[in-house]
């Protein structure tokens, strides 16, 4: 089922995460999914379900991949009993100018799932029924199966709203009254990821689960979820995707699996689960490292993957770990390939807000007051180990830092007559986040570059 709302701020993430946790508490296996590119909400889904949070995004992955990716996420052992898909923004809000493309409604139609609308009723009475009526009838292809009323002020308030909604024939699945202490803290780019507040998040999840269990009819929720028809076609499979997107280069062969170090920990909290699964299917052992605490790269490291996160919040710790910064710089200088997105880009700069970083790139990064956010339709500007020149790619930006200069002599991407990012023989670094399930050739080429740098293969070639 899809958990949606009339707009941002109605409580989608709170209710969706609470539902996942409450259903899991009942003994069900639950998979959590997020419409759109967001990477923070899935961290709460993962905490609630005990399995990776995943994204469903037609813009980043392609329409044809949404159902296979849902089946994959829900089918990874143990197979899920129910998939809860949290929407993005308002139900019908998609990419600007696209007539709702990549909206929650678009994804709900693709996966043929019933929609549960979470409505903040704190400042309205019977007018809530008019709002629900509009959402139920706006697009007949979307099945609005139920409503969860959120932030109710009193029992009388709840009674009034139930009476107003009854003639619509839309089931009221729950009524949640205002509760203090059930929220995740926010900052410049939204919620604080779970990895940065694990103990507090676990306590919040317990209170959230109790709140949802008390106010939502979970039996009715499952009845709604069972209205979704069976989905046809195969689940997404990383090995099959790689077979369709071969890259020239050396495979792992008989030399054993190749090690790639991936940034993790509190400063690097974002990467898509499928990106890692593609690398593993390509013969890569992905080893997490924490640039805040780990002093060295793993033995035999033949590639580096620095994804997204919030290095700007952990500048002092990153700068203090001079040993790892030096080792990263040395590895890249030796030709070890590194893919860096957004946070990873700033870590490769000479400094971030005046604090020393790795110095791999002759560029500086600074915090700004301006948030950069949006989908991008890009073209590969420069041939690299990651991507072939001229190839089209869709991605997204989400940051409040600025790197100067914006691009190197060889840029990574271009869009809207501008160039962005840095490409060298061993570096591909930019602000653009790309979901590799939509472009498995990127994972294939990166894996081939890492295999070519694996110690055994390097020594064989002299």
């Amino acid at each position: 089922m899809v958990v949606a709302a009339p707009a941002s701020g109605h409580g989608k993430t709170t209710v969706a995460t609470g539902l996942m946790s409450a259903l899991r508490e009942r003994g069900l296996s639950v998979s959590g999914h997020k419409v759109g590119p967001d990477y923070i909400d899935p961290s709460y889904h993962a905490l609630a379900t005990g399995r990776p949070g995943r994204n469903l995004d037609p813009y980043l992955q392609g329409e044809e991949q949404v159902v296979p990716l849902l089946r994959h996420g829900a089918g990874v052992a143990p197979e899920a009993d129910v998939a809860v898909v949290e929407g993005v923004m308002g139900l019908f809000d998609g990419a600007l100018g696209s007539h709702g493309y990549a909206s929650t409604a678009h994804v709900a139609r693709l996966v043929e799932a019933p929609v549960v609308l979470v409505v903040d009723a704190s400042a309205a009475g019977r007018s809530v029924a008019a709002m629900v009526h509009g959402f139920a009838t706006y697009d007949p292809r979307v099945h609005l199966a139920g409503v969860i009323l959120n932030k109710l002020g009193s029992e009388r308030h709840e009674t009034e709203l139930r009476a107003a909604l009854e003639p619509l024939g839309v089931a009221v699945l729950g009524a949640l009254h205002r509760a203090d202490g059930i929220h995740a803290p926010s900052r410049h780019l939204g919620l604080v990821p779970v990895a940065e507040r694990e103990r507090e998040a676990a306590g919040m999840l317990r209170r959230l689960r109790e709140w949802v269990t008390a106010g939502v009819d979970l039996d009715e929720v499952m009845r709604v979820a069972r209205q979704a028809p069976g989905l046809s076609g195969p689940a997404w499979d990383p090995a099959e995707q790689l077979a369709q997107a071969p890259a020239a280069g050396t495979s792992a062969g008989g030399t054993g699996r190749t090690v790639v170090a991936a940034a993790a920990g509190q400063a690097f909290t974002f990467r898509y689960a499928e990106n890692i699964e593609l690398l593993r299917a390509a013969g890569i052992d992905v080893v997490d490292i924490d640039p805040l605490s780990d002093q060295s790269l793993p033995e035999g490291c033949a590639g580096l993957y620095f994804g997204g996160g919030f290095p700007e919040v952990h500048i002092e710790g990153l700068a203090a770990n001079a040993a790892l910064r030096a080792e990263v710089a040395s590895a890249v200088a030796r030709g070890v390939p590194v893919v860096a997105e957004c946070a990873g880009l700033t870590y490769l700069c000479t400094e971030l807000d005046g604090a020393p970083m790795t110095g791999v790139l002759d560029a500086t990064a600074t915090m700004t007051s301006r948030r950069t956010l949006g989908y991008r339709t890009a073209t590969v500007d420069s041939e690299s180990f990651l991507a072939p020149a001229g190839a089209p790619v869709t991605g997204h930006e989400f940051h409040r830092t600025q790197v100067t200069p914006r691009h190197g002599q060889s840029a990574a991407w271009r869009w809207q007559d501008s160039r962005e990012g840095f490409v060298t023989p061993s570096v591909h670094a930019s602000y653009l986040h790309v979901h590799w399930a939509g472009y498995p050739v990127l994972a294939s080429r990166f894996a081939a570059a890492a295999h070519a740098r694996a110690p055994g293969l390097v020594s064989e070639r002299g």
Side-chain angles (χ1 to χ4, degrees), residues 209-277:
R209 178 173 62 245
E210 294 170 351
W211 180 61
V212 167
T213 299
V216 176
D217 188 334
L218 297 177
D219 290 330
E220 280 297 292
V221 166
M222 286 302 298
R223 180 190 64 78
V224 166
R226 292 189 182 100
Q227 295 176 9
L231 295 173
S232 60
W236 182 84
D237 182 275
E240 291 181 2
Q241 294 295 310
L242 290 171
Q244 298 171 23
T250 307
S251 67
T255 64
R257 295 176 65 85
T258 297
V259 172
V260 165
Q266 293 189 357
F268 293 88
T269 54
F270 163 56
R271 62 192 185 214
Y272 293 121
E274 292 83 0
N275 289 17
I276 302 301
E277 290 169 341

Side-chain angles (χ1 to χ4, degrees), residues 13 17 20 31-56 86-87 191 193-195 269-274:
T13 301
T17 304
M20 294 175 197
S31 64
H33 308 260
K34 173 68 179 180
V35 176
D38 177 61
Y39 50 84
I40 300 176
D41 292 352
S43 72
Y44 286 88
H45 299 173
L47 180 66
T49 64
R51 51 200 291 156
R54 298 177 184 272
N55 297 69
L56 301 174
E86 181 195 340
L191 298 180
V194 167
T269 54
F270 163 56
R271 62 192 185 214
Y272 293 121
E274 292 83 0

Side-chain angles (χ1 to χ4, degrees), residues 55-283:
N55 297 69
L56 301 174
D57 192 325
Y59 191 94
L60 296 183
Q61 303 156 344
E63 279 188 319
E64 72 285 353
Q65 292 285 21
V66 170
V67 168
L69 284 166
L70 173 61
R71 297 199 64 186
H72 169 71
V76 172
E79 185 175 359
D81 299 301
V82 58
V84 179
V85 181
E86 181 195 340
V88 60
M89 299 186 294
L91 175 56
F92 298 104
D93 300 328
L96 290 177
S98 69
H99 302 284
Y101 192 88
S103 66
T104 304
H106 183 192
V107 171
R109 295 196 307 267
L110 290 173
V111 302
E112 302 181 61
V115 174
V116 175
L117 194 70
V118 177
V119 178
D120 178 352
S122 60
R126 295 179 61 83
S127 296
V128 167
M131 179 189 296
V132 172
H133 175 70
F135 276 86
T137 58
Y138 180 76
D139 186 346
R141 298 172 298 172
V142 177
H143 174 39
L144 182 58
V147 175
I148 294 177
L149 302 171
N150 194 20
K151 302 181 185 177
L152 295 173
S154 66
E155 297 296 333
R156 290 182 61 190
H157 190 194
E158 177 184 339
T159 300
E160 180 78 2
L161 293 184
R162 285 184 179 274
L165 287 162
E166 186 174 3
L168 301 183
V170 178
V172 177
L173 304 177
L176 298 167
H177 292 253
R178 294 190 187 98
D180 295 329
I182 300 181
H183 69 279
S186 299
R187 60 179 181 223
H188 55 285
L189 290 180
L191 298 180
V192 177
V194 167
E196 295 189 46
R197 53 185 299 269
E198 291 182 357
R199 181 179 300 177
E200 297 90 341
M204 182 206 73
L205 182 66
R206 175 183 53 79
R207 295 189 298 273
L208 181 57
R209 178 173 62 245
E210 294 170 351
W211 180 61
V212 167
T213 299
V216 176
D217 188 334
L218 297 177
D219 290 330
E220 280 297 292
V221 166
M222 286 302 298
R223 180 190 64 78
V224 166
R226 292 189 182 100
Q227 295 176 9
L231 295 173
S232 60
W236 182 84
D237 182 275
E240 291 181 2
Q241 294 295 310
L242 290 171
Q244 298 171 23
T250 307
S251 67
T255 64
R257 295 176 65 85
T258 297
V259 172
V260 165
Q266 293 189 357
F268 293 88
T269 54
F270 163 56
R271 62 192 185 214
Y272 293 121
E274 292 83 0
N275 289 17
I276 302 301
E277 290 169 341
L278 282 164
L279 289 177
R280 288 173 177 156

